[in-house]
Amino acid sequence: MDQVKGLIMDKQERFEAAGTALAEARELNRAEEMPILVEGKRDARALRSLGFLGPIVLVNQGRPLGEVIAKLIETYPQKIILLMDWDRTGGRLQKEFRERLRSLDRPIDESLRKKLSIALTPESRCVEAMYKMADFLKPIIDFHDREGADEHPLP
């Protein structure tokens, strides 16, 4: 049993919480073309395995962060979902992007990272690990985002 914010949550409850949060993000990513900013290719692969077909932007493109941010702002005028790993390095990147984007008056959404870090920390501390959890998470996501489920069969 895991204790999260005073609640006892077993693995199924935690995966349900993660799946619900991912379903909300997948719907925004699909319906509103809201981009999700992740660290690298494996993170993007994990999201794609969960049915995300909207824009996913990689931090690690071999370019300075300033260039990545400039391209992000130029390409996507809407809110941006920040989803860095919930380890120390991911935390530093999350903070860097949060501060830079807020200084440019760009709206961001950090709720997905927060919810996943609470729900999935016992299994992992990184986005790419969700690729191996897709068999468990995707049915939950599809249940909560039925419209997206029709479009995205499990790979």
Side-chain angles (χ1 to χ4, degrees):
M1 293 278 202
D2 300 300
Q3 188 168 4
V4 178
K5 292 192 176 184
L7 301 173
I8 303 298
M9 296 177 70
D10 65 15
K11 186 174 182 177
Q12 182 60 39
E13 290 172 321
R14 290 186 296 98
F15 273 63
E16 178 67 31
T20 302
L22 286 160
E24 292 168 6
R26 186 173 82 177
E27 185 177 350
L28 290 170
N29 180 250
R30 179 188 70 255
E32 297 184 26
E33 295 276 315
M34 190 177 294
I36 301 176
L37 184 64
V38 296
E39 291 179 48
K41 291 178 184 178
R42 291 181 183 159
D43 297 338
R45 181 183 76 160
L47 292 177
R48 297 287 184 218
S49 74
L50 297 172
F52 285 78
L53 290 180
I56 297 174
V57 179
L58 308 180
V59 169
N60 296 323
Q61 301 177 20
R63 297 186 303 185
L65 293 184
E67 285 183 29
V68 173
I69 290 172
K71 182 69 173 173
L72 186 66
I73 289 173
E74 178 183 306
T75 308
Y76 304 104
Q78 65 274 50
K79 185 182 281 189
I80 298 163
I81 298 172
L82 299 181
L83 183 58
M84 304 300 130
D85 293 343
W86 38 100
D87 59 8
R88 188 179 312 188
T89 302
R92 283 195 299 260
L93 278 171
Q94 186 87 6
K95 181 180 178 184
E96 179 77 21
F97 277 96
R98 175 190 321 117
E99 289 174 357
R100 286 187 182 208
L101 289 167
R102 283 187 178 162
S103 74
L104 297 167
D105 293 325
R106 293 309 307 264
I108 59 169
D109 183 340
E110 299 183 90
S111 62
L112 179 60
R113 180 179 185 263
K114 182 177 182 179
K115 291 172 185 175
L116 292 177
S117 71
I118 292 170
L120 299 179
T121 291
E123 283 71 35
S124 178
R125 298 181 65 78
C126 61
V127 174
E128 72 182 62
M130 290 189 295
Y131 181 79
K132 293 180 180 176
M133 299 177 208
D135 290 341
F136 300 103
L137 291 171
K138 189 146 186 329
I140 299 167
I141 297 167
D142 290 347
F143 177 79
H144 293 286
D145 178 26
R146 293 179 193 267
E147 187 176 325
D150 297 338
E151 300 173 19
H152 316 297
L154 190 60

Coordinates of all heavy atoms in Angstrom, one line a residue, residues 56-130:
I56 N 4.0 16.7 -30.1 CA 5.0 16.4 -29.0 C 6.3 17.0 -29.4 O 6.8 16.7 -30.4 CB 5.1 14.9 -28.7 CG1 3.7 14.3 -28.3 CG2 6.2 14.6 -27.7 CD1 3.7 12.8 -28.2
V57 N 6.8 17.9 -28.5 CA 8.0 18.6 -28.8 C 9.2 18.1 -27.9 O 8.9 17.9 -26.7 CB 7.8 20.1 -28.6 CG1 9.1 20.9 -28.9 CG2 6.7 20.6 -29.5
L58 N 10.3 17.8 -28.5 CA 11.5 17.3 -27.7 C 12.4 18.4 -27.3 O 12.7 19.3 -28.1 CB 12.3 16.3 -28.6 CG 11.5 15.2 -29.3 CD1 12.5 14.3 -30.1 CD2 10.8 14.4 -28.3
V59 N 12.8 18.4 -26.0 CA 13.8 19.3 -25.5 C 15.1 19.0 -26.1 O 15.9 19.9 -26.6 CB 13.9 19.3 -24.0 CG1 15.0 20.0 -23.4 CG2 12.6 19.8 -23.3
N60 N 15.5 17.7 -26.1 CA 16.8 17.3 -26.6 C 16.9 17.2 -28.1 O 16.7 16.1 -28.6 CB 17.2 16.0 -25.9 CG 17.4 16.2 -24.4 OD1 17.9 17.2 -23.9 ND2 17.0 15.2 -23.6
Q61 N 17.1 18.3 -28.7 CA 17.1 18.3 -30.2 C 18.5 18.7 -30.7 O 18.7 19.0 -31.9 CB 16.1 19.3 -30.8 CG 14.7 19.1 -30.4 CD 13.8 20.1 -30.9 OE1 14.1 20.9 -31.8 NE2 12.6 20.2 -30.3
G62 N 19.5 18.8 -29.8 CA 20.8 19.2 -30.1 C 20.9 20.7 -30.3 O 21.9 21.2 -30.9
R63 N 19.9 21.5 -29.9 CA 19.9 22.9 -30.0 C 19.8 23.5 -28.6 O 19.3 22.9 -27.6 CB 18.7 23.4 -30.8 CG 18.8 22.9 -32.2 CD 17.7 23.5 -33.1 NE 16.4 23.2 -32.5 CZ 15.2 23.5 -33.0 NH1 15.2 24.1 -34.2 NH2 14.1 23.2 -32.4
P64 N 20.3 24.8 -28.4 CA 20.2 25.4 -27.1 C 18.7 25.6 -26.7 O 17.8 25.7 -27.6 CB 20.8 26.8 -27.3 CG 21.7 26.7 -28.6 CD 21.0 25.6 -29.4
L65 N 18.5 25.6 -25.4 CA 17.1 25.7 -24.9 C 16.4 27.0 -25.4 O 15.2 26.9 -25.7 CB 17.1 25.7 -23.4 CG 17.5 24.5 -22.7 CD1 17.3 24.6 -21.1 CD2 16.7 23.3 -23.2
G66 N 17.2 28.1 -25.6 CA 16.6 29.3 -26.1 C 16.0 29.1 -27.5 O 14.9 29.6 -27.8
E67 N 16.7 28.4 -28.3 CA 16.2 28.1 -29.7 C 14.9 27.2 -29.6 O 14.0 27.4 -30.4 CB 17.3 27.4 -30.5 CG 18.3 28.4 -31.0 CD 19.3 27.7 -31.9 OE1 19.0 26.7 -32.6 OE2 20.5 28.1 -31.9
V68 N 15.0 26.2 -28.7 CA 13.8 25.3 -28.6 C 12.6 26.1 -28.2 O 11.5 25.9 -28.7 CB 14.1 24.2 -27.6 CG1 12.9 23.3 -27.3 CG2 15.3 23.3 -28.1
I69 N 12.8 27.0 -27.2 CA 11.7 27.8 -26.7 C 11.2 28.8 -27.8 O 10.0 28.9 -28.0 CB 12.1 28.6 -25.5 CG1 12.3 27.6 -24.3 CG2 11.1 29.7 -25.1 CD1 12.8 28.2 -23.1
A70 N 12.1 29.4 -28.6 CA 11.7 30.3 -29.7 C 10.9 29.5 -30.7 O 9.8 30.0 -31.1 CB 12.9 30.9 -30.3
K71 N 11.3 28.3 -31.1 CA 10.6 27.6 -32.1 C 9.2 27.1 -31.5 O 8.2 27.1 -32.2 CB 11.4 26.3 -32.5 CG 10.8 25.5 -33.5 CD 10.7 26.2 -34.9 CE 10.2 25.2 -35.9 NZ 10.0 25.9 -37.2
L72 N 9.2 26.8 -30.2 CA 7.9 26.3 -29.6 C 6.9 27.5 -29.6 O 5.8 27.3 -30.0 CB 8.3 25.9 -28.1 CG 7.2 25.3 -27.3 CD1 6.8 23.9 -27.9 CD2 7.7 25.1 -25.9
I73 N 7.3 28.6 -29.2 CA 6.5 29.8 -29.2 C 6.0 30.2 -30.6 O 4.8 30.6 -30.8 CB 7.2 31.0 -28.5 CG1 7.3 30.7 -27.0 CG2 6.4 32.3 -28.7 CD1 8.1 31.6 -26.2
E74 N 6.9 30.1 -31.5 CA 6.6 30.5 -32.9 C 5.5 29.5 -33.5 O 4.7 29.9 -34.2 CB 7.9 30.4 -33.7 CG 7.7 30.7 -35.2 CD 9.0 30.6 -35.9 OE1 10.0 31.2 -35.5 OE2 9.1 29.8 -36.9
T75 N 5.7 28.3 -33.2 CA 4.8 27.2 -33.8 C 3.5 27.0 -33.0 O 2.5 26.8 -33.7 CB 5.6 25.9 -33.8 OG1 6.8 26.1 -34.4 CG2 4.8 24.8 -34.6
Y76 N 3.5 27.2 -31.7 CA 2.3 26.9 -30.9 C 1.9 28.1 -30.1 O 2.5 28.4 -29.1 CB 2.5 25.7 -30.0 CG 3.0 24.5 -30.8 CD1 4.3 24.1 -30.8 CD2 2.1 23.7 -31.5 CE1 4.7 22.9 -31.5 CE2 2.5 22.6 -32.2 CZ 3.8 22.2 -32.2 OH 4.2 21.1 -32.9
P77 N 0.8 28.8 -30.5 CA 0.3 29.9 -29.7 C -0.4 29.6 -28.4 O -0.6 30.4 -27.6 CB -0.6 30.7 -30.7 CG -1.1 29.6 -31.6 CD 0.0 28.6 -31.7
Q78 N -0.9 28.3 -28.3 CA -1.7 28.0 -27.2 C -0.9 27.5 -26.0 O 0.3 27.5 -26.0 CB -2.7 26.9 -27.6 CG -2.1 25.5 -28.0 CD -1.6 25.5 -29.4 OE1 -1.0 26.3 -29.9 NE2 -2.0 24.4 -30.1
K79 N -1.6 27.1 -24.9 CA -1.0 26.6 -23.7 C -0.1 25.4 -24.0 O -0.4 24.7 -24.9 CB -2.0 26.2 -22.7 CG -1.5 25.8 -21.3 CD -2.6 25.4 -20.4 CE -3.3 26.6 -19.9 NZ -4.3 26.3 -18.8
I80 N 1.0 25.3 -23.3 CA 2.0 24.2 -23.5 C 2.0 23.3 -22.2 O 2.1 23.8 -21.1 CB 3.4 24.8 -23.7 CG1 3.3 25.6 -25.0 CG2 4.4 23.6 -23.8 CD1 4.5 26.5 -25.1
I81 N 1.9 22.0 -22.4 CA 2.0 21.0 -21.3 C 3.4 20.7 -21.1 O 4.1 20.2 -22.1 CB 1.2 19.8 -21.6 CG1 -0.3 20.1 -21.8 CG2 1.4 18.7 -20.5 CD1 -1.2 18.9 -22.3
L82 N 4.0 21.0 -20.0 CA 5.4 20.6 -19.6 C 5.4 19.3 -18.9 O 4.7 19.1 -17.9 CB 6.0 21.7 -18.7 CG 6.1 23.1 -19.2 CD1 6.8 24.0 -18.2 CD2 6.8 23.2 -20.5
L83 N 6.1 18.3 -19.5 CA 6.1 17.0 -18.9 C 7.6 16.4 -18.9 O 7.9 15.6 -19.7 CB 5.2 16.0 -19.7 CG 5.1 14.6 -19.2 CD1 4.6 14.6 -17.7 CD2 4.2 13.7 -20.1
M84 N 8.4 17.0 -18.0 CA 9.7 16.4 -17.8 C 9.6 15.3 -16.8 O 8.7 15.1 -16.1 CB 10.6 17.5 -17.3 CG 10.7 18.8 -18.1 SD 11.3 18.5 -19.8 CE 10.0 19.3 -20.7
D85 N 10.7 14.5 -16.8 CA 10.7 13.4 -15.8 C 10.6 13.9 -14.4 O 10.9 15.1 -14.2 CB 12.1 12.6 -15.9 CG 12.2 11.9 -17.2 OD1 11.2 11.6 -17.9 OD2 13.4 11.5 -17.6
W86 N 10.2 13.1 -13.5 CA 10.1 13.6 -12.1 C 11.2 13.1 -11.2 O 11.1 12.8 -10.1 CB 8.7 13.1 -11.5 CG 8.2 11.8 -11.8 CD1 8.3 10.7 -11.1 CD2 7.5 11.4 -13.0 NE1 7.7 9.6 -11.7 CE2 7.2 10.0 -12.9 CE3 7.1 12.1 -14.2 CZ2 6.6 9.3 -13.9 CZ3 6.5 11.4 -15.1 CH2 6.2 10.0 -15.0
D87 N 12.4 13.2 -11.9 CA 13.7 13.0 -11.1 C 14.3 14.4 -11.0 O 13.8 15.4 -11.4 CB 14.6 12.0 -11.9 CG 14.9 12.4 -13.3 OD1 14.6 13.5 -13.7 OD2 15.5 11.6 -14.0
R88 N 15.6 14.4 -10.5 CA 16.2 15.7 -10.2 C 16.5 16.5 -11.5 O 16.2 17.6 -11.6 CB 17.6 15.4 -9.5 CG 18.2 16.7 -9.0 CD 19.5 16.5 -8.3 NE 19.3 15.5 -7.3 CZ 20.2 15.1 -6.4 NH1 21.3 15.7 -6.4 NH2 19.9 14.2 -5.5
T89 N 17.0 15.8 -12.5 CA 17.3 16.5 -13.8 C 16.0 17.0 -14.4 O 15.9 18.1 -14.9 CB 18.0 15.5 -14.8 OG1 19.2 15.1 -14.2 CG2 18.3 16.2 -16.1
G90 N 15.0 16.1 -14.4 CA 13.7 16.6 -15.0 C 13.1 17.8 -14.2 O 12.5 18.7 -14.8
G91 N 13.3 17.8 -12.9 CA 12.9 18.9 -12.1 C 13.6 20.2 -12.5 O 13.0 21.3 -12.5
R92 N 14.9 20.1 -12.7 CA 15.6 21.3 -13.1 C 15.1 21.8 -14.5 O 15.0 23.0 -14.7 CB 17.1 21.0 -13.2 CG 17.8 21.0 -11.8 CD 19.3 21.0 -11.9 NE 19.8 19.9 -12.6 CZ 20.4 18.8 -12.1 NH1 20.4 18.7 -10.8 NH2 20.9 17.9 -12.8
L93 N 14.9 20.9 -15.4 CA 14.4 21.3 -16.8 C 13.0 21.9 -16.7 O 12.7 22.9 -17.3 CB 14.4 20.1 -17.7 CG 15.7 19.7 -18.4 CD1 15.6 18.3 -19.1 CD2 16.2 20.8 -19.3
Q94 N 12.2 21.2 -15.9 CA 10.8 21.7 -15.7 C 10.8 23.2 -15.2 O 10.1 24.0 -15.7 CB 10.1 20.8 -14.7 CG 8.6 21.1 -14.5 CD 7.7 20.4 -15.6 OE1 8.2 19.6 -16.3 NE2 6.5 20.8 -15.5
K95 N 11.7 23.4 -14.2 CA 11.8 24.8 -13.6 C 12.3 25.7 -14.6 O 11.8 26.9 -14.8 CB 12.7 24.7 -12.4 CG 12.9 26.1 -11.7 CD 13.8 26.0 -10.5 CE 14.0 27.4 -9.9 NZ 14.9 27.4 -8.8
E96 N 13.3 25.4 -15.4 CA 13.9 26.2 -16.4 C 12.9 26.6 -17.5 O 12.7 27.8 -17.8 CB 15.1 25.5 -17.1 CG 15.7 26.3 -18.2 CD 16.7 27.4 -17.7 OE1 17.1 27.3 -16.5 OE2 16.9 28.4 -18.4
F97 N 12.1 25.7 -18.0 CA 11.1 26.0 -19.0 C 9.9 26.8 -18.4 O 9.4 27.7 -19.0 CB 10.6 24.7 -19.7 CG 11.5 24.2 -20.8 CD1 12.5 23.3 -20.5 CD2 11.4 24.8 -22.0 CE1 13.3 22.9 -21.6 CE2 12.2 24.4 -23.1 CZ 13.2 23.5 -22.8
R98 N 9.6 26.4 -17.2 CA 8.5 27.2 -16.5 C 8.9 28.6 -16.4 O 8.1 29.5 -16.8 CB 8.2 26.6 -15.1 CG 7.2 27.4 -14.3 CD 7.1 27.1 -12.8 NE 7.2 25.6 -12.5 CZ 8.2 25.1 -11.8 NH1 9.2 25.8 -11.3 NH2 8.2 23.8 -11.6
E99 N 10.1 28.9 -15.9 CA 10.5 30.3 -15.7 C 10.6 31.0 -17.0 O 10.2 32.2 -17.1 CB 11.8 30.3 -14.9 CG 11.6 29.9 -13.5 CD 12.9 29.8 -12.7 OE1 14.0 30.0 -13.3 OE2 12.9 29.5 -11.5
R100 N 11.2 30.4 -18.0 CA 11.4 31.1 -19.3 C 10.1 31.3 -20.0 O 9.9 32.4 -20.5 CB 12.3 30.2 -20.2 CG 13.8 30.3 -19.8 CD 14.6 29.6 -20.8 NE 16.0 29.6 -20.5 CZ 17.0 29.5 -21.4 NH1 16.7 29.5 -22.7 NH2 18.2 29.5 -21.0
L101 N 9.2 30.4 -20.0 CA 7.9 30.5 -20.7 C 7.0 31.6 -19.9 O 6.3 32.4 -20.6 CB 7.2 29.2 -20.8 CG 7.8 28.3 -21.9 CD1 7.3 26.9 -21.7 CD2 7.7 28.8 -23.3
R102 N 7.0 31.5 -18.6 CA 6.3 32.5 -17.9 C 6.8 33.9 -18.1 O 6.0 34.9 -18.1 CB 6.2 32.2 -16.4 CG 5.3 31.0 -16.1 CD 5.2 30.8 -14.6 NE 4.2 29.8 -14.3 CZ 4.2 29.1 -13.1 NH1 5.0 29.4 -12.2 NH2 3.3 28.2 -12.9
S103 N 8.1 34.0 -18.2 CA 8.7 35.4 -18.4 C 8.3 35.9 -19.8 O 8.3 37.1 -20.0 CB 10.2 35.3 -18.3 OG 10.8 34.7 -19.5
L104 N 7.9 35.0 -20.7 CA 7.4 35.4 -22.0 C 5.8 35.5 -22.0 O 5.3 35.6 -23.1 CB 7.9 34.5 -23.1 CG 9.4 34.5 -23.2 CD1 9.9 33.3 -24.1 CD2 9.9 35.8 -23.8
D105 N 5.2 35.4 -20.9 CA 3.8 35.4 -20.7 C 3.1 34.3 -21.5 O 2.0 34.5 -22.1 CB 3.2 36.8 -21.1 CG 3.6 37.9 -20.2 OD1 3.7 37.6 -19.0 OD2 3.8 39.0 -20.7
R106 N 3.7 33.1 -21.5 CA 3.1 32.0 -22.2 C 2.5 31.1 -21.2 O 3.1 30.7 -20.2 CB 4.2 31.2 -22.9 CG 4.8 31.9 -24.1 CD 3.8 32.4 -25.1 NE 2.8 31.4 -25.5 CZ 2.9 30.8 -26.7 NH1 3.9 31.0 -27.5 NH2 2.1 29.9 -27.0
P107 N 1.2 30.7 -21.4 CA 0.5 29.8 -20.4 C 1.1 28.4 -20.5 O 1.4 27.9 -21.6 CB -0.9 29.9 -20.9 CG -0.9 30.3 -22.3 CD 0.4 31.1 -22.5
I108 N 1.3 27.8 -19.4 CA 1.8 26.4 -19.3 C 0.9 25.6 -18.4 O 0.1 26.1 -17.6 CB 3.2 26.3 -18.8 CG1 3.3 27.0 -17.4 CG2 4.2 27.0 -19.7 CD1 4.6 26.7 -16.7
D109 N 0.9 24.3 -18.6 CA 0.2 23.4 -17.7 C 1.2 22.3 -17.2 O 1.8 21.6 -18.0 CB -0.9 22.7 -18.6 CG -1.8 21.7 -17.8 OD1 -1.4 21.3 -16.7 OD2 -2.9 21.4 -18.2
E110 N 1.3 22.3 -15.9 CA 2.2 21.3 -15.2 C 1.5 20.2 -14.5 O 2.1 19.4 -13.8 CB 3.1 22.1 -14.3 CG 4.0 23.1 -15.0 CD 5.0 23.7 -14.0 OE1 6.1 23.2 -13.8 OE2 4.6 24.8 -13.4
S111 N 0.1 20.2 -14.6 CA -0.6 19.3 -13.7 C -0.4 17.8 -14.1 O -0.4 17.0 -13.2 CB -2.1 19.6 -13.9 OG -2.6 19.5 -15.2
L112 N -0.2 17.5 -15.4 CA 0.1 16.1 -15.7 C 1.3 15.6 -15.0 O 1.3 14.5 -14.5 CB 0.2 16.0 -17.2 CG 0.5 14.6 -17.8 CD1 -0.6 13.6 -17.4 CD2 0.7 14.6 -19.3
R113 N 2.4 16.3 -15.1 CA 3.6 15.9 -14.4 C 3.4 15.7 -12.9 O 3.9 14.7 -12.3 CB 4.8 16.9 -14.6 CG 6.1 16.5 -14.0 CD 7.1 17.5 -14.2 NE 8.4 17.1 -13.7 CZ 8.9 17.5 -12.6 NH1 8.2 18.3 -11.8 NH2 10.1 17.1 -12.2
K114 N 2.7 16.6 -12.3 CA 2.5 16.5 -10.9 C 1.7 15.2 -10.5 O 2.0 14.5 -9.6 CB 1.7 17.7 -10.4 CG 1.5 17.7 -8.9 CD 0.8 19.0 -8.4 CE 0.6 19.0 -6.9 NZ 0.0 20.2 -6.5
K115 N 0.6 15.0 -11.3 CA -0.2 13.8 -11.0 C 0.5 12.5 -11.3 O 0.4 11.5 -10.5 CB -1.5 13.9 -11.9 CG -2.4 15.0 -11.4 CD -3.6 15.2 -12.4 CE -4.4 16.4 -12.0 NZ -5.5 16.7 -13.0
L116 N 1.3 12.5 -12.4 CA 2.0 11.2 -12.7 C 3.1 11.0 -11.7 O 3.4 9.8 -11.3 CB 2.7 11.3 -14.1 CG 1.7 11.3 -15.3 CD1 2.4 11.5 -16.6 CD2 0.8 10.1 -15.3
S117 N 3.8 12.0 -11.2 CA 4.8 11.8 -10.2 C 4.3 11.3 -8.9 O 4.9 10.5 -8.3 CB 5.6 13.1 -9.9 OG 4.8 14.1 -9.2
I118 N 3.1 11.6 -8.6 CA 2.5 11.0 -7.4 C 2.0 9.6 -7.6 O 2.3 8.7 -6.8 CB 1.2 11.9 -6.9 CG1 1.7 13.3 -6.4 CG2 0.4 11.2 -5.9 CD1 0.6 14.3 -6.2
A119 N 1.4 9.4 -8.7 CA 0.8 8.0 -9.0 C 1.9 7.0 -9.4 O 1.7 5.8 -9.1 CB -0.3 8.2 -10.1
L120 N 2.9 7.4 -10.2 CA 3.8 6.4 -10.8 C 5.2 6.3 -10.2 O 6.0 5.5 -10.6 CB 3.9 6.6 -12.3 CG 2.6 6.6 -13.1 CD1 2.9 6.8 -14.6 CD2 2.0 5.2 -12.9
T121 N 5.5 7.1 -9.2 CA 6.8 7.1 -8.6 C 7.2 5.7 -8.1 O 8.3 5.3 -8.3 CB 6.9 8.1 -7.4 OG1 6.9 9.4 -8.1 CG2 8.2 8.0 -6.7
P122 N 6.3 4.9 -7.5 CA 6.8 3.6 -7.1 C 7.3 2.7 -8.2 O 8.2 1.9 -8.0 CB 5.5 2.9 -6.4 CG 4.7 4.1 -6.0 CD 5.0 5.2 -7.0
E123 N 6.8 2.9 -9.4 CA 7.2 2.1 -10.6 C 8.3 2.8 -11.3 O 9.2 2.1 -11.9 CB 6.0 1.9 -11.6 CG 5.0 0.9 -11.2 CD 4.1 1.3 -10.0 OE1 3.8 2.5 -9.9 OE2 3.8 0.4 -9.2
S124 N 8.3 4.1 -11.4 CA 9.4 4.8 -12.1 C 9.4 6.3 -11.8 O 8.5 6.8 -11.2 CB 9.1 4.6 -13.6 OG 10.0 5.3 -14.4
R125 N 10.4 6.9 -12.3 CA 10.6 8.4 -12.1 C 10.8 9.1 -13.4 O 11.3 10.2 -13.5 CB 11.7 8.7 -11.2 CG 11.5 8.1 -9.8 CD 12.7 8.4 -8.8 NE 12.8 9.8 -8.5 CZ 12.1 10.5 -7.7 NH1 11.1 10.0 -7.0 NH2 12.3 11.8 -7.4
C126 N 10.3 8.4 -14.5 CA 10.5 9.0 -15.8 C 9.4 8.7 -16.8 O 8.7 7.7 -16.6 CB 11.9 8.5 -16.4 SG 12.0 6.8 -16.7
V127 N 9.2 9.6 -17.7 CA 8.1 9.5 -18.7 C 8.3 8.2 -19.6 O 7.3 7.5 -19.9 CB 8.1 10.8 -19.6 CG1 7.1 10.6 -20.7 CG2 7.8 12.0 -18.7
E128 N 9.5 8.0 -20.0 CA 9.7 6.8 -21.0 C 9.3 5.5 -20.4 O 9.0 4.6 -21.2 CB 11.2 6.8 -21.4 CG 12.2 6.3 -20.4 CD 13.6 6.3 -20.9 OE1 14.1 7.4 -21.2 OE2 14.2 5.2 -21.0
A129 N 9.2 5.3 -19.1 CA 8.8 4.1 -18.5 C 7.4 3.8 -18.7 O 7.0 2.6 -18.6 CB 9.1 4.1 -17.0
M130 N 6.6 4.8 -19.1 CA 5.2 4.5 -19.4 C 5.0 3.6 -20.6 O 4.0 3.0 -20.8 CB 4.4 5.8 -19.5 CG 4.2 6.6 -18.2 SD 3.1 8.0 -18.3 CE 4.0 9.0 -19.4

